[in-house]
Amino acid sequence: MQNKRCTRCGASIDLAAGYCPHCGAQQPISYTQGGYTPPYQPAGPRCQQQNNTATLVLGIVGIICAFFVPIVGCVCAVIGLVMSIQNSKNGQSDTTGKLLSGAALVILVGRVVLSILFSLLGFGLFLGFASLW
Ligand SMILES: [Zn+2]
């Protein structure tokens, strides 16, 4: 027999028990219990719209922040990309979210590469001038 813990008093109780025998607290229904399947909830267009809007906003904010606040842009882009991949896994195509988040990441990587190149260039010029002395 499998046991679970009471949500109120923490006592070990039967997995199938609806109430705790110790304190009487109602227990959440265990979805892993055999025979019971959660009610079917079709993914409504409203839900999909909200998810896609979230990745859209995250992607746009990511691109804007990539120029001004790279750390925030990076966080937004990564979250947007993960969310859009999740949307795709759930059967919701979210190409816009992926493209925007991907673009934000490309801009961020490009920024980092450019800043490294410029600092190397600056260092090279500094060495060049220094060798003149
Ligand atoms: Zn209890």
Side-chain angles (χ1 to χ4, degrees):
M1 186 189 286
Q2 283 182 294
N3 287 335
K4 64 181 174 185
R5 295 220 165 261
C6 170
T7 52
R8 191 193 284 172
C9 70
S12 183
I13 54 174
D14 192 323
L15 189 65
Y19 292 89
C20 171
H22 301 276
C23 70
Q26 190 170 5
Q27 302 302 311
I29 297 160
S30 174
Y31 290 114
T32 55
Q33 196 66 15
Y36 183 82
T37 47
Y40 175 67
Q41 285 179 322
R46 188 158 169 260
C47 178
Q48 183 179 348
Q49 195 62 42
Q50 278 177 343
N51 280 346
N52 286 4
T53 307
T55 56
L56 194 75
V57 170
L58 279 169
I60 291 169
V61 171
I63 289 172
I64 294 168
C65 288
F67 290 105
F68 302 105
V69 200
I71 293 168
V72 178
C74 190
V75 171
C76 287
V78 168
I79 294 171
L81 196 65
V82 169
M83 276 180 74
S84 58
I85 289 168
Q86 285 291 330
N87 284 351
S88 299
K89 277 183 185 169
N90 293 339
Q92 305 170 352
S93 74
D94 190 7
T95 318
T96 320
K98 260 190 236 174
L99 279 176
L100 283 171
S101 308
L105 281 175
V106 167
I107 291 167
L108 284 159
V109 171
R111 261 186 65 116
V112 170
V113 170
L114 276 179
S115 63
I116 290 170
L117 280 178
F118 275 115
S119 53
L120 284 177
L121 192 70
F123 192 61
L125 284 174
F126 171 76
L127 281 181
F129 279 119
S131 66
L132 289 176
W133 293 85

